Amino acid sequence: YSRVEDYRLRVHSVIRRAGEAPEETDLTYWFRRPDRFRMELRNPHPGLTLVHPHGEGRVRVRPGGLLRFLKISLDPGSARLEVSPGQRVDQTDLGLLIRNISRSLAGAAPGAAAVRTEGGTVVLSVEGENHFLPGVWTRYELWVDRELWLPVRVREEVPSRGWERDVRFDEITLNPGLPESFFRLD
């Protein structure tokens, strides 16, 4: 990952909460170091686009469809932009995921970490403090592609809160040379 300057990938996410219908998200995600990202949703709000940072570290949001002419600026910590419980929208790049899983593997987990292979991936499993909810224990599984050595899936389960999230990363393109202008919605 240290040699990756920018990337593009497709994200499929499913959050399940006890007693509720699953929340599914499908989007294309672009990232450029150090902190630029662009998201274009396919589901649940087709055409909705977010870019960060946009002036003062804010997130610029442009709806899809008939409201495409609107442009809204929100703080990355806004509840409207929360990715999962406690996770801000500006905490979504693969580098942060890698650092957080490394921290979990090195931390004081109640059980030993497990490693297994599954097809072309190495799967790391560990229990530890939630990356975004201090004091909440979470089970993590991270699938790492054996050719790219990058995450291609992460699964989180928080039994005490009755929710789990499964995120898959597909169509990964590394170092496509994304221009600065791609991260603006002016």
Side-chain angles (χ1 to χ4, degrees):
Y1 184 75
S2 64
R3 289 181 249 145
V4 175
E5 291 300 317
D6 56 6
Y7 61 84
R8 174 202 174 275
L9 50 83
R10 188 160 177 188
V11 180
H12 304 273
S13 174
V14 178
I15 295 178
R16 292 176 184 84
R17 290 180 174 87
E20 296 181 21
E23 295 175 32
E24 295 187 40
T25 303
D26 181 11
L27 60 92
T28 303
Y29 181 91
W30 294 265
F31 180 82
R32 181 174 175 220
R33 286 187 194 255
D35 63 354
R36 306 248 184 271
F37 72 75
R38 178 182 181 120
M39 295 180 186
E40 292 181 6
L41 273 72
R42 297 168 191 243
N43 181 45
H45 306 288
L48 179 76
T49 302
L50 297 91
V51 295
H52 176 272
H54 176 82
E56 310 275 325
R58 295 179 66 81
V59 177
R60 177 75 92 159
V61 180
R62 181 181 64 206
L66 297 174
L67 299 176
R68 191 167 176 82
F69 65 91
L70 291 175
K71 291 182 184 117
I72 305 160
S73 289
L74 296 171
D75 181 83
S78 169
R80 299 165 109 182
L81 298 177
E82 189 175 69
V83 174
S84 70
Q87 184 178 1
R88 296 165 44 124
V89 73
D90 59 344
Q91 298 171 321
T92 54
D93 75 275
L94 289 180
L96 181 62
L97 173 61
I98 293 166
R99 287 189 302 277
N100 283 341
I101 292 292
S102 296
R103 185 174 45 107
S104 292
L105 290 168
V115 179
R116 69 181 191 275
T117 57
E118 197 173 287
T121 62
V122 174
V123 184
L124 308 168
S125 301
V126 66
E127 272 190 47
E129 188 173 32
N130 189 286
H131 302 155
F132 305 104
L133 297 170
V136 176
W137 287 96
T138 302
R139 281 192 277 269
Y140 289 100
E141 287 189 311
L142 179 72
W143 282 255
V144 178
D145 183 277
R146 292 171 68 171
E147 289 183 30
L148 294 173
W149 287 109
L150 289 173
V152 292
R153 180 179 177 194
V154 63
R155 186 176 172 283
E156 306 165 60
E157 183 181 356
V158 183
S160 65
R161 294 192 174 212
W163 72 269
E164 67 179 55
R165 178 171 72 151
D166 194 346
V167 183
R168 294 177 186 266
F169 309 111
D170 299 311
E171 303 172 20
I172 299 171
T173 304
L174 301 177
N175 296 320
L178 300 170
E180 181 67 28
S181 60
F182 188 68
F183 298 94
R184 286 195 298 267
L185 288 180
D186 297 326

